[in-house]
Amino acid sequence: MESYYGLPHVIDARQFDVDLLERIFDEAKEMEKIVDEGGCDILQRKRMISLFYEPSTRTRFSFELAMSYLGGTVFQTENAKEFSSAVKGETLEDSIRVLCGYKPNVIVIRHGEDGAAERAVRVSGKTSIVNAGNGKEQHPTQAVLDIFTVFKELGRIDGLSFAMIGDLASSRVINSNCYLLGKYRPEVIHFVSPKCAQVKPGIKEYLQRHSVRFSETTDLREVASKVDVIYQTRTQKERGSNFSCADRRLGHFVVDREILQLMKKNAIIMHPLPRVDEIPAYVDEDRRAAYFRQAANGLFIRMALLKMILAPSKS
Ligand code: CP
């Protein structure tokens, strides 16, 4: 497979370096203009299979619309877990081999199992694979759009302080974000979670190796006034977590009025969404609530990634 940008697959946030991220962000800014103009045809005759074995609103629609805005064609199944031949017992590998026989240019896959994206790459031949979230491991394109959002909102990553809150043990988004933050020089990451949902040891080791300072607490009030980015997550009930972020016996995790009072005037609140009870709706009125702007950035980043994976090489 030929990829001018050296981006044949998007599997793991660790594959990106700062230079490549900057190029993606530059492309994403161009994509905002292309969307304003109603689209273009640079991916005409390119075909994307959208293969989601788990529910999705943002990732799936932003990828499918991204392909449409760039002139490509999308093929998808509604809930691959139920309506593909997986229900008959077909392995992921066999499904990917068969789909790749139909010569799509890219398969965007979301799957509930760790390792699923790598397994797909092993049998995908010349077809690019994009990991749209796998198991508890990674959601790399979410992390790229998150870092893009911080740059757009605050202009930098280096020197900023982050709070990452909620079900950190099960969040693939937190993993991928930590991997990307390790490429920069943030001041500190404060992990705020119930004791039963602390960030994984492997992530802490990675941050230590990359000289990123971090702390752990169960009380968001301890760090809310010190951080530039509050990154909230929901409890991943579909992965076996069974606590509520609103349960005050476990600590303080909700971005409520008390937290809004404590926060810096120019800090931002992010969330990959969907949210449940960890950010009340009244927070949406606060200009620091960046999560809907963050979600919108997903379209531009996914357009940029698809272009960089699929567009003909520059000479
Ligand atoms: N943030 C995110 O991955 O949302 P979806 O599950 O709706 O795609």
Side-chain angles (χ1 to χ4, degrees):
M1 146 200 351
E2 301 253 329
S3 170
Y4 175 78
Y5 298 93
L7 204 58
H9 307 284
V10 175
I11 301 300
D12 183 324
R14 286 169 289 191
Q15 76 187 77
F16 297 101
D17 60 27
V18 168
D19 285 347
L20 181 54
L21 288 167
E22 277 175 16
R23 292 168 75 183
I24 295 168
F25 299 159
D26 286 345
E27 289 284 359
K29 287 175 205 152
E30 293 302 311
M31 294 301 161
E32 294 199 48
K33 294 178 202 157
I34 287 174
V35 170
D36 283 345
E37 290 159 7
C40 69
D41 60 4
I42 57 169
L43 294 189
Q44 208 177 18
R45 297 167 70 92
K46 301 288 184 187
R47 295 166 184 92
M48 178 181 109
I49 290 179
S50 174
L51 191 61
F52 278 62
Y53 291 86
E54 288 190 327
S56 168
T57 298
R58 277 145 291 276
T59 313
R60 180 176 156 191
F61 281 101
S62 59
F63 263 117
E64 293 182 2
L65 280 157
M67 196 64 179
S68 171
Y69 272 115
L70 294 172
T73 309
V74 177
F75 300 84
Q76 39 87 1
T77 174
E78 192 63 46
N79 184 359
K81 200 170 179 179
E82 195 177 342
F83 295 121
S84 75
S85 284
V87 79
K88 301 174 211 163
E90 185 166 68
T91 64
L92 175 65
E93 283 82 354
D94 280 359
S95 294
I96 296 292
R97 278 191 194 100
V98 169
L99 291 173
C100 290
Y102 306 144
K103 313 294 183 199
N105 302 98
V106 60
I107 297 177
V108 177
I109 180 169
R110 169 170 290 190
H111 200 282
E113 291 173 16
D114 292 355
E118 286 90 344
R119 283 166 56 202
V121 167
R122 266 181 235 129
V123 294
S124 71
K126 292 186 173 179
T127 300
S128 294
I129 300 291
V130 175
N131 180 2
N134 66 318
K136 290 185 181 183
E137 278 183 339
Q138 287 222 36
H139 193 348
T141 67
Q142 176 72 47
V144 175
L145 80 88
D146 291 342
I147 296 295
F148 179 61
T149 299
V150 177
F151 271 111
K152 271 178 88 171
E153 298 276 332
L154 300 175
R156 65 197 169 102
I157 301 290
D158 293 353
L160 296 185
S161 297
F162 292 74
M164 295 190 164
I165 307 144
D167 188 3
L168 306 181
S170 298
S171 174
R172 55 196 180 197
V173 170
I174 291 295
N175 297 344
S176 291
N177 267 282
C178 287
Y179 288 142
L180 288 192
L181 286 176
K183 314 275 179 185
Y184 295 90
R185 291 283 164 267
E187 176 69 23
V188 63
I189 304 173
H190 299 290
F191 294 114
V192 186
S193 70
K195 293 244 186 270
C196 61
Q198 285 180 327
V199 71
K200 291 190 189 88
I203 298 296
K204 291 189 245 182
E205 286 159 22
Y206 173 89
L207 293 174
Q208 276 163 345
R209 276 202 309 281
H210 289 78
S211 305
V212 177
R213 285 196 305 126
F214 60 85
S215 74
E216 292 182 278
T217 176
T218 57
D219 193 338
L220 180 55
R221 292 171 301 184
E222 286 177 9
V223 298
S225 64
K226 303 177 196 167
V227 298
D228 305 287
V229 178
I230 283 195
Y231 195 101
Q232 180 66 284
T233 64
R234 82 187 154 85
T235 304
Q236 306 267 310
K237 295 214 160 139
E238 71 275 31
R239 303 195 203 292
S241 301
N242 62 359
F243 64 89
S244 162
C245 278
D247 185 345
R248 294 295 289 267
R249 292 169 301 179
L250 302 174
H252 192 124
F253 312 106
V254 175
V255 180
D256 54 17
R257 288 196 172 85
E258 191 178 356
I259 298 299
L260 292 179
Q261 284 288 333
L262 288 168
M263 281 175 62
K264 293 182 189 176
K265 282 192 173 55
N266 295 323
I268 56 171
I269 304 163
M270 298 176 65
H271 192 309
L273 303 177
R275 65 172 155 187
V276 186
D277 54 7
E278 60 280 353
I279 301 183
Y282 61 74
V283 177
D284 303 357
E285 304 306 317
D286 192 298
R287 64 180 167 73
R288 295 169 293 183
Y291 31 89
F292 292 119
R293 300 192 291 275
Q294 174 188 357
N297 287 333
L299 174 66
F300 313 127
I301 287 294
R302 286 167 177 138
M303 287 173 74
L305 289 170
L306 288 173
K307 178 187 167 186
M308 293 171 77
I309 294 166
L310 299 178
S313 301
K314 290 176 191 168
S315 55

